[in-house]
């Protein structure tokens, strides 16, 4: 199983970046996939999630209207388009996958709201996003 992130880097405030997460080794359609981020000294935060099994998406409040998550199931890849970036978006961004087959009761992106309760099945190694002011 692999989740490989790409697309991080240094950008000025107000700029844009697109992260990609390429998944392999598991059935992509049975998982909610998305992004967490973490800065030193703080807990990992669920940023955004997408799931085809229940047609669900999730964004944390601080990125709504600025970030857009999308999925290319043919390529087993999830993207996070990040616009209007702010210095407070600076973090290591981790791709994550949570098992949620079609027909499961509840919300597939619940793990992004409460990761400690639900538990993430797979993690990528992370990609650094730095937004300068």
């Amino acid at each position: 199983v692999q989740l490989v992130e790409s697309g991080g880097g240094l950008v000025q405030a107000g700029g844009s970046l697109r992260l990609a997460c390429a998944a392999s080794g598991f059935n992509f359609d049975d998982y909610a996939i998305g992004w967490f981020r973490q800065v030193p000294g703080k807990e990992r935060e669920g940023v955004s999630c997408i799931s085809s099994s229940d047609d669900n998406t999730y964004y944390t409040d601080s990125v709504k209207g600025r970030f857009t998550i999308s999925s290319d199931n043919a390529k087993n890849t999830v993207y996070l388009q990040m616009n209007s970036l702010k210095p407070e978006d600076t973090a290591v961004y981790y791709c994550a996958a949570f098992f949620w087959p079609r027909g499961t009761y509840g919300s597939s992106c619940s793990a992004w709201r409460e990761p400690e309760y639900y538990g993430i099945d797979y993690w990528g190694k992370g990609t650094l996003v730095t937004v300068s002011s």
Side-chain angles (χ1 to χ4, degrees):
V1 172
Q2 278 193 312
L3 296 172
V4 180
E5 303 99 333
S6 62
L10 173 64
V11 64
Q12 288 188 332
S16 298
L17 284 174
R18 189 177 80 152
L19 304 183
C21 172
S24 61
F26 60 93
N27 189 351
F28 189 82
D29 293 339
D30 284 339
Y31 284 77
I33 298 179
W35 301 88
F36 286 77
R37 66 186 179 187
Q38 189 170 27
V39 296
K42 293 190 177 181
E43 291 187 355
R44 199 169 289 190
E45 174 190 28
V47 176
S48 184
C49 163
I50 189 167
S51 174
S52 60
S53 61
D54 60 352
D55 296 322
N56 193 18
T57 58
Y58 164 80
Y59 298 95
T60 193
D61 286 344
S62 62
V63 308
K64 286 179 181 177
R66 301 189 297 121
F67 291 11
T68 303
I69 194 167
S70 61
S71 176
D72 185 338
N73 287 26
K75 295 182 178 180
N76 286 0
T77 300
V78 171
Y79 303 95
L80 185 68
Q81 179 66 44
M82 305 186 296
N83 297 330
S84 302
L85 282 162
K86 304 176 181 180
E88 51 263 43
D89 294 317
T90 295
V92 177
Y93 284 71
Y94 296 91
C95 184
F98 178 56
F99 184 59
W100 196 270
R102 187 174 295 277
T104 303
Y105 177 79
S107 171
S108 58
C109 293
S110 296
W112 272 255
R113 297 183 183 89
E114 298 178 272
E116 298 83 5
Y117 178 79
Y118 286 93
I120 293 293
D121 293 288
Y122 304 120
W123 291 98
K125 294 183 178 180
T127 186
L128 176 63
V129 172
T130 304
V131 184
S132 64
S133 57

